[in-house]
Amino acid sequence: YQGGNSPSGLLVYHADAVVGFDGITYRELSYTPTWSGTLGDGTLTGQYTRIGNRVDVTIRLLWGSTTSHGAATQTFNLPYTNNSTNPGMGSYWANDFGTSVRSGVALVAPSGTALSMVDAAAQTTVSNTVPQTWANQDELYIGLTYFV
C-alpha cells in the first residue's frame, strides 16, 4: 500500500481499486451480472463504483444470434443489496438495431438484490416484447444509483 491524501487520511492502492481505510472505493470495478434471460453468444458486462454507501452501476447487454430473452420480466443482479428504505433509481436505453431507440426507468426495490425496468412509452415492465422484440445486435444500456 501507499499513503496518500484523502478526506479519511489514508488511501490503499490495490490493482483494481483505490480504497480508503473507511472502505470507500474510488475506482470503477467490473462485475459479471447475472441476467434472467439466456446469454448464448451475446455479451453482458457490468461496472460499479461504491463511494461510501452509494453505489453507481452500469450494465451493457448486446444480443447475439443465440441470445434468448425469455418471457419473464427481465432482471439483472447487483453487486450489493439495496439496504436503503428507498428504491434505487436510474434509466435504461434500448437500441432496436436499425429501427429505433427506446428508454425507460431502471429501479431496485428497498432491500432488493436485482434491478428491473419499466418502459416509458408502454408504462409496463421490460419483457421479451416490451419495449421491442429483442433480436441479434440489439443493445441494452442501464445506469442505476442505489444505497447500501
Side-chain angles (χ1 to χ4, degrees):
Y1 75 94
Q2 300 173 0
N5 293 322
S6 73
S8 58
L10 176 69
L11 293 178
V12 179
Y13 295 86
H14 298 276
D16 292 333
V18 180
V19 181
F21 74 87
D22 53 4
I24 297 175
T25 300
Y26 295 94
R27 182 177 291 167
E28 185 174 74
L29 301 173
S30 295
Y31 86 106
T32 303
T34 55
W35 173 49
S36 56
T38 303
L39 188 58
D41 63 347
T43 303
L44 177 60
T45 58
Q47 292 81 34
Y48 73 93
T49 303
R50 180 174 174 178
I51 302 173
N53 290 335
R54 176 182 161 165
V55 180
D56 296 316
V57 176
T58 58
I59 296 172
R60 177 182 180 252
L61 174 59
L62 173 64
W63 265 255
S65 61
T66 61
T67 302
S68 173
H69 192 283
T73 299
Q74 295 304 290
T75 60
F76 296 84
N77 80 313
L78 296 167
Y80 299 98
T81 299
N82 180 13
N83 286 330
S84 173
T85 56
N86 297 309
M89 300 289 293
S91 60
Y92 80 85
W93 175 85
N95 178 21
D96 191 353
F97 183 73
T99 305
S100 62
V101 175
R102 298 171 172 94
S103 62
V105 176
L107 55 98
V108 58
S111 301
T113 59
L115 70 83
S116 59
M117 297 163 289
V118 176
D119 182 65
Q123 297 182 356
T124 189
T125 56
V126 172
S127 69
N128 60 330
T129 59
V130 175
Q132 63 208 32
T133 300
W134 300 90
N136 190 35
Q137 297 186 4
D138 285 353
E139 296 174 277
L140 176 65
Y141 294 91
I142 305 165
L144 177 81
T145 297
Y146 67 104
F147 293 89
V148 297

